Amino acid sequence: MTTTFDLIVVGGGINGASVALFCARAGMRVALIERDQICRGASGVNAGTLTLQMTRVALIPYALEAHAMWANAPEWLGHDVGVVVCDGLSLAFTEGEEELLTYRAARRREAGAPIEIITGTEAQGIEPGLGASVRVAGWCPIDGFANAYLTGLAYRRALVEAGVALLERTMARGVDETQPFVVNTDRGPIRGRRLVIAGGVWIEPMLAWLGVKLPIKVLINQLSVTERVAPVMRTQVGIASGLLSLKQYPHGTVVIGGGWQGWGNRETGRSGIVPDSIIGNVRLACHAIPALAEARLARSWTGFEAETADVLPAVGPVPGIPEAYVCGSIHSGYTSAPYIAKLLAQCILGQEPERLLFPIDRLLLQSASAATVS
Amino acid sequence: MVVETDLVVVGAGPAGTSAALAAANAGLGVILIDEAREAGGQVYRAPARTLTAAIKTRDRDAAAGVRLRAALDRSSVRFERGLRVWSIGERFRTDTVGPEGVRTFKAPRLIAAGGAFERTVPFPGWTLPGVMGLAAATILLKSEAMLPGRRVVIAGCGPLLAAVAAKVSGGGGDVAAVIDMASRRQWASVMLQLATRFNLLREGAGWVLGLARRRVPIHFASTIRRIDEADGLLSVEIGPVDGKGRARPGRSSLINDVDAVAVGHGLVPGVEITRLAGAAHTYDRLRGGWVPVLDAMGRTTIEGLYAAGDGCGIRGALSAATAGTLAGLAAAGDAGALDPDTLASKSEPQLKEAVRLDRFSAAVSELLALRPGQVADIAPDTVVCRCEDVRRADIDAAIADGAADVNQLKHFTRCGMGPCQGRMCGDVVGELVALHAGSREAAGAWTPRPPLRPVPLADLIGSYSYNDMPIPKPVPL
C-alpha cells in the first residue's frame, strides 16, 4: 500500500475504533489495523455494564459523559448497541460491606455520581428480584448496560461509513520507521503521519516497538450467561466490593460478571475459566437474585483486561515520539471508552481536549523512559 | 474434593467403555463418566430400568449393549453414572454436576468419547411440535419403548431410516412413508461395498423386507420440502432431489394426517472436549465435519488427551469400540503400564481391524455426509438457529454486513448463542458462511466454551453460606 495515511490506529477494539471514527469524521484519512475483527476481543465479550458504582472516583466525570454517549449511541454512532438505561444498585449484605459501600458511595457522589444510600426494603422496592438479606444499597439512577457483542457490528458499519480503511485479520508486527510511521504488517507496510497504539493488553509489547516500556498487568475476567428466562430482575445489580455485575437483557438472558479471575496467557492469547471461580461468582449472583438459581448456565467465557500500576488509564501522547499516541487500560473501559477516545481524537486533531488526558509519563519505567527509536 | 486417578474417560458408549476396559485391564485406575445412568451410548442404549423386562433384547445392538454393560460390571473401572461434565481444564481436571451436586475428577490422561449429534438441515416446518430427530425417535423406542407417533413419516438419510421404520412398525405404529435422500443406485453401490459384511447386510435386508411386507412406501432420491400443521396433524410435502441434495424440478406430493415426523440428515462429531482443550482439528466432510487430528492410536495433538468414537468422525459403533480399545491401550502404554512390546502386540490386531472397518464405514459415511446442495437450497425465511430464531435471510444479511466467519456472524445475529450453543445448527451455519468465505476452514467453527452442556445454576452452587464465601479483595476506589 503506497498511500500515506494521516493516522494509523493499531488495535480495533472500542478504544482504537472510537479514535479512528472521530478522526475520520474530522477529515483524516485513517487506517485501522486489527489482527482479528472489529471489537471481537475484550470490547465484544465484556459484560457491557454502564455503571458508575464500579467506576474509579477519578474517572466519574468521564464516565458520566460516556454514559450519556452510550444512551444515545444511535445519534452519534449511527447504530444501535442495545443500550438499556436503568437503575443501578450496589448491595451490602454484611456490616463490613455496609461500611465499605457507604464510604465509597460518598466519595463517588462528591465526584458527581448521583448515588444515594437506601435501605434494603427500599432497594427491594426498586428491584423486586432482590433476596431478603440486603442491609443497604447504593442506588444510582444513571446506570444500565449495552449488548457488548453488538459493538462490533455497530462500529464496523460506522467505520465503513466514515471511510476508515479497515484492515481486519491483519497482524501488526512492529514499527519500522517513524515520521512518517511505517507499521510492519503481515500484509505489507502501512504508512502514516500519526500512530495510535490501542491494542488492549497488548499495548505493552506494542509500545516496546517504540522503545517505550509501560508495564501492564493482565486481568482475565470471567463472565457467564444463562439461557433466556422469564424476568427475574429489572436493574443492574452489583455489590459493595465491586465483584459482581448482574443484569437481565431484554431477550431474557442474564449476564453474570464482576471480574472473577480465570487463567490466561497474553503471549499465546489462550485463556479459560477456573471452575471454582465460576461457582463463587454464580453463588454471589444467586445470593443477590435468588430466582436466578432456577436458570441454567449456557456459557462461560473470559476476556483480557489491561491494568496500569495506578489502575488509571494510559491515554495520551507517547513521550519522546512525536505524533505517536496510546489509548488503553481504561479502568471500567467499556463504559468510558467512547468519551475518553473522543478526548484523544481532539488532541490528535490539534484541539484542546474537553478534559485532561491520562499521559503515560507517570507510569514509564525509569530505565526506558528516555528511549527513542533510531 | 478432587478425586484423582490415572485416566478419566468421558462418554460410556462403545468407544469410551472399550477404552476404559482396555486401560483398566492394563492396570490403570480408570474413572468412566456418563450423563446416562447406564453405559451403552446411543447405539447400545439401555432400556429404562422399569422397562428392562418389557423390552425384548433380540436385536443385535441390544444384545451387544447387554454384553458391554456386563463386561463393565466385572471390571475394575469406576463407572460414575448420571454425571454431566461441564468443564475440562488443564491436566484434565474434569468438573461435573449430578444428583449429589458438583464433583471434580483429575487425571494426567483423558479420553474424549462423547459421540455425535444429529444434523437436521432446516426446511419450513422443521421446528413444529411432532417433528423430531431420528436419534430422538430411537431414544424413545429403545429407552422408553414408546412410539414417536401413531402415523409416522421417517425421513432423511442413512441406515437409521430403515432401523427406525422397522422399530416403529414392529411396535405397532403406522409408518406412512420412508423418505430417503439417497437414490436406489447410491444404495446399490453401498451394498456392493458391504458385500462381505454378511451380518450387516442380513440385518438391513431384514428391515427392508419387513417394510415391504407391511407395504410401507419408500421414496428414494426424495426429501421433505415442507411440513404444515393443521388441527394437530401434520402434512408433509415431499419432492425429488439430486445426488448433491438439491431439489430437482418435479412433482411434489403430500402425505397427510401424520402425527409425527422423524427426520435426520446424518451425524456431526461432538468435538467440544477436544476443541476446549485446544487440540488441532481438521474439516472432514465425509466423516461429518470438524474432527480432531489423531494418530492411529487415538492420540490428539495435546499430550495426555486421546479421543475415540464418532466424536472423532462418523464411523459407527463397531469402529468406535476398536478405536476405544486402541486409545485405552495407548493411554496405558504412555502411562508406563504396558511395555512397548506388549503395547505393540496388543494393538496390532486392533489396528488391522480398524483399517478393515474404515473401508466399510466410508461407504456408509457417504450416505450420512452433509449434502451441500441441500444447504444452498434453504429458503430465506426458514429458521436455521432454532434457539434464537435466526433465519437464512438474517445470516445472509450479516454476511453482507461483513461477518467473515461463524464467530463474527454469531456476534452480529445471536445465531448459536442459545441453550444448544450452536450444536444443532453449527454444521449448517458453517456451510452457509462457507458459501461466501470460500471454504469451511475459512468459515471456521464456534469458539468452544464451558459448560459442555447447560447446567442448572442451583446444581452448580449447592448449599453455601454467604459468610463462608471466599470473596476476592475489593477493586480499588
Side-chain angles (χ1 to χ4, degrees), chain A residues 37-40 44-45 56-57 93-94 97 100 103-104 107-108 149-150 152-153 156-157 168-169 226-228 239 241-243 251 253 256 260 263 270-273 275-276 278-280 282-284 286-287 292-293 295-302 311 331, chain B residues 84 86-87 89-90 93 95 102 104 275-278 387-389 401-405 407-408 410-414 416-419 421 446-451 453-464 466-467 469-477:
Chain A
Q37 292 148 343
I38 299 300
C39 297
R40 279 285 316 285
V45 304
R56 300 208 64 197
V57 169
F93 297 107
T94 64
E97 287 173 356
L100 186 69
Y103 175 72
R104 291 188 157 205
R107 294 289 313 280
R108 288 188 172 112
Y149 61 77
L150 287 176
L153 177 58
R156 203 176 184 288
R157 285 175 174 165
E168 290 179 283
R169 287 174 297 283
T226 69
E227 293 177 355
R228 294 176 187 236
I239 59 166
S241 60
L243 291 159
H251 53 259
T253 62
I256 304 168
W260 291 65
W263 63 269
R270 274 179 61 77
S271 65
I273 60 112
D276 293 336
I278 291 286
I279 290 172
V282 169
R283 282 180 169 172
L284 206 50
C286 293
H287 192 70
L292 202 51
R296 292 199 302 173
L297 176 68
R299 187 174 180 88
S300 295
W301 67 96
T302 42
V311 201
H331 187 261
Chain B
R84 177 168 284 203
W86 69 275
S87 167
E90 293 287 292
R93 178 184 154 129
D95 286 86
V102 175
T104 303
R275 292 205 63 230
L276 191 59
C387 297
E388 296 293 332
D389 262 348
D401 228 335
D405 66 22
N407 288 301
Q408 201 170 17
K410 178 174 169 176
H411 274 202
F412 284 15
T413 61
R414 285 191 65 79
M417 276 195 193
Q421 288 289 298
W446 311 123
T447 306
R449 293 289 184 198
R453 299 283 184 277
V455 288
L457 295 188
D459 290 356
L460 268 189
I461 63 179
S463 61
Y464 63 98
Y466 185 77
N467 294 320
M469 284 184 58
I471 296 180
K473 77 173 174 55
V475 292
L477 179 67

Side-chain angles (χ1 to χ4, degrees), chain A residues 89 122-130 232-237 289:
Chain A
L89 293 172
E122 286 168 330
Q124 276 175 320
I126 292 167
E127 176 52 87
L130 286 183
V232 293
M233 61 188 299
R234 63 184 192 201
T235 60
Q236 200 285 123
V237 168
I289 306 285

Side-chain angles (χ1 to χ4, degrees), chain B residues 283-471:
Chain B
Y283 181 75
D284 186 345
R285 189 191 70 90
L286 183 64
R287 296 303 186 181
W290 288 95
V291 294
V293 174
L294 301 178
D295 72 4
M297 298 294 289
R299 295 181 185 95
T300 70
T301 54
I302 301 284
E303 199 195 331
L305 179 65
Y306 311 76
D310 279 351
C312 311
I314 308 306
R315 289 179 175 77
L318 294 178
S319 286
T322 306
T325 302
L326 284 168
L329 289 171
D334 296 347
L338 291 176
D339 63 73
D341 290 345
T342 316
L343 176 62
S345 67
K346 279 183 183 284
S347 305
E348 200 198 334
Q350 302 287 334
L351 285 166
K352 280 190 180 148
E353 175 71 355
V355 171
R356 199 177 67 84
L357 289 170
D358 234 35
R359 277 205 307 278
F360 300 120
S361 66
V364 179
S365 293
E366 190 55 63
L367 293 173
L368 290 169
L370 184 70
R371 291 162 169 81
Q374 195 187 2
V375 175
D377 264 0
I378 297 171
D381 61 349
T382 299
V383 167
V384 174
C385 165
R386 70 186 301 171
C387 297
E388 296 293 332
D389 262 348
V390 181
R391 287 154 205 275
R392 164 80 188 263
D394 303 323
I395 292 171
D396 287 344
I399 292 168
D401 228 335
D405 66 22
V406 295
N407 288 301
Q408 201 170 17
L409 175 83
K410 178 174 169 176
H411 274 202
F412 284 15
T413 61
R414 285 191 65 79
C415 183
M417 276 195 193
C420 93
Q421 288 289 298
R423 277 182 282 273
M424 295 193 78
C425 66
D427 191 51
V428 169
V429 170
E431 196 71 18
L432 285 170
V433 174
L435 289 175
H436 300 265
S439 67
R440 286 299 291 265
E441 287 78 9
W446 311 123
T447 306
R449 293 289 184 198
L452 297 170
R453 299 283 184 277
V455 288
L457 295 188
D459 290 356
L460 268 189
I461 63 179
S463 61
Y464 63 98
S465 146
Y466 185 77
N467 294 320
D468 297 341
M469 284 184 58
I471 296 180

Side-chain angles (χ1 to χ4, degrees), chain A residues 166-181:
Chain A
L166 282 188
L167 304 167
E168 290 179 283
R169 287 174 297 283
T170 304
M171 182 69 147
R173 294 185 294 215
V175 176
D176 288 346
E177 292 171 40
T178 58
Q179 286 141 3
F181 294 96

Side-chain angles (χ1 to χ4, degrees), chain A residues 75-242:
Chain A
E75 270 175 41
W76 62 269
L77 185 57
H79 301 282
D80 189 22
V81 195
V83 172
V84 172
V85 173
C86 63
D87 289 313
L89 293 172
S90 182
L91 312 177
F93 297 107
T94 64
E95 212 179 319
E97 287 173 356
E98 180 175 345
E99 202 178 309
L100 186 69
L101 183 72
T102 311
Y103 175 72
R104 291 188 157 205
R107 294 289 313 280
R108 288 188 172 112
R109 193 165 50 238
E110 285 163 20
I115 302 170
E116 275 179 44
I117 297 294
I118 57 175
T119 65
T121 315
E122 286 168 330
Q124 276 175 320
I126 292 167
E127 176 52 87
L130 286 183
S133 57
V134 177
R135 290 171 66 95
V136 296
W139 167 53
C140 185
I142 300 178
D143 206 305
F145 47 90
N147 218 337
Y149 61 77
L150 287 176
T151 318
L153 177 58
Y155 264 91
R156 203 176 184 288
R157 285 175 174 165
L159 291 164
V160 168
E161 284 160 11
V164 172
L166 282 188
L167 304 167
E168 290 179 283
R169 287 174 297 283
T170 304
M171 182 69 147
R173 294 185 294 215
V175 176
D176 288 346
E177 292 171 40
T178 58
Q179 286 141 3
F181 294 96
V182 179
V183 177
N184 175 335
T185 80
D186 58 358
R187 300 200 185 188
I190 310 291
R191 280 163 231 285
R193 293 184 190 89
R194 302 171 188 84
L195 175 69
V196 172
I197 299 291
V201 296
W202 291 274
I203 59 174
E204 180 176 344
M206 287 176 179
L207 284 168
W209 300 339
L210 300 170
V212 172
K213 210 162 173 189
L214 173 73
I216 291 291
K217 183 177 167 191
V218 177
L219 304 181
I220 315 290
N221 296 332
Q222 293 188 160
L223 283 164
S224 295
V225 65
T226 69
E227 293 177 355
R228 294 176 187 236
V229 288
V232 293
M233 61 188 299
R234 63 184 192 201
T235 60
Q236 200 285 123
V237 168
I239 59 166
S241 60

Side-chain angles (χ1 to χ4, degrees), chain A residues 336-372:
Chain A
S336 301
Y339 182 67
I340 291 184
K342 190 168 97 175
L343 297 180
L344 183 64
Q346 288 168 345
C347 171
I348 292 168
L349 292 162
Q351 303 159 3
E352 187 63 33
E354 289 167 26
R355 280 178 200 281
L356 293 177
L357 295 174
F358 299 86
I360 59 173
D361 310 61
R362 71 190 199 278
L363 300 163
L364 298 185
L365 291 187
Q366 279 309 291
S367 59
S369 61
T372 51

